[in-house]
Amino acid sequence: MLIRDEQPEDIDSVRDLTERAFGQADEAQLVDALRRDGNNAISLVATEGDIVVGHVLLSPMYAPFRALGLAPLSVLPDHQNRGIGSALSIAALERARVGGWDAVFVLGDNAYYERFGFRADLAAGFECPYAGSHFMVAPLRGALPVLSGRVDYAPAFAAL
């Protein structure tokens, strides 16, 4: 498996795998909208040979510090539970850290995302439409610069 930056020729494959991974088109349309709006700060694909088997996208968030939102993370159904999503998550977080971002937020399964450093308790002080027990943040440069404030995902998320 190879993890690399998404290329223009990957767009159709990413759309297809995202629809298949989620069993609907909403998340694929979100990826297209984020890309169209220029809010695809980090977009990585996992490939096996010539086949795109996974994708992760991080988009800039409105926050009191430099933050990204991880969503969506997609893996072809017949390739799930093989570490592809984990490898994409780790690579995306490292890319964000090297890029000078302070943190990454995610809304998802706590047991899955906590192993990558995401913490719901650190996100609890932030006001967001998605706030709750599954809203988490992973600090990338030590402690978060602030522990409260308003955070919002890119406008394309409002269409979901």
Side-chain angles (χ1 to χ4, degrees):
M1 176 183 62
L2 171 70
I3 295 177
R4 61 171 172 75
D5 289 322
E6 177 191 72
Q7 300 298 312
E9 59 269 17
D10 298 323
I11 291 173
D12 290 340
S13 296
V14 167
R15 185 178 302 112
D16 177 64
L17 86 88
T18 304
E19 287 182 12
R20 290 173 57 193
F22 286 93
Q24 62 184 19
D26 292 352
E27 288 78 5
Q29 291 169 354
L30 172 64
V31 171
D32 288 341
L34 290 166
R35 196 184 292 117
R36 179 191 66 238
D37 296 344
N39 286 322
N40 54 335
I42 297 171
S43 187
L44 303 176
V45 295
T47 61
E48 290 184 354
D50 293 336
I51 300 170
V52 176
V53 297
H55 174 255
V56 65
L57 189 134
L58 279 71
S59 57
M61 292 185 70
Y62 300 99
F65 47 82
R66 292 192 74 219
L68 295 167
L70 188 160
L73 171 63
S74 309
V75 176
L76 285 174
D78 59 346
H79 286 72
Q80 292 177 2
N81 300 309
R82 293 179 26 196
I84 296 168
S86 294
L88 281 165
S89 297
I90 291 166
L93 290 169
E94 178 60 14
R95 180 75 61 88
R97 187 191 65 72
V98 169
W101 295 91
D102 294 314
V104 175
F105 286 86
V106 71
L107 179 67
D109 181 85
N110 297 64
Y112 182 80
Y113 286 103
E114 285 174 355
R115 61 184 150 163
F116 308 119
F118 286 94
R119 293 179 45 190
D121 62 326
L122 289 179
F126 294 97
E127 185 182 332
C128 177
Y130 305 103
S133 61
H134 297 288
F135 185 61
M136 297 168 275
V137 64
L140 300 176
R141 303 161 66 77
L144 292 174
V146 297
L147 298 176
S148 64
R150 174 82 186 179
V151 296
D152 284 298
Y153 284 87
F157 282 86
L160 281 180

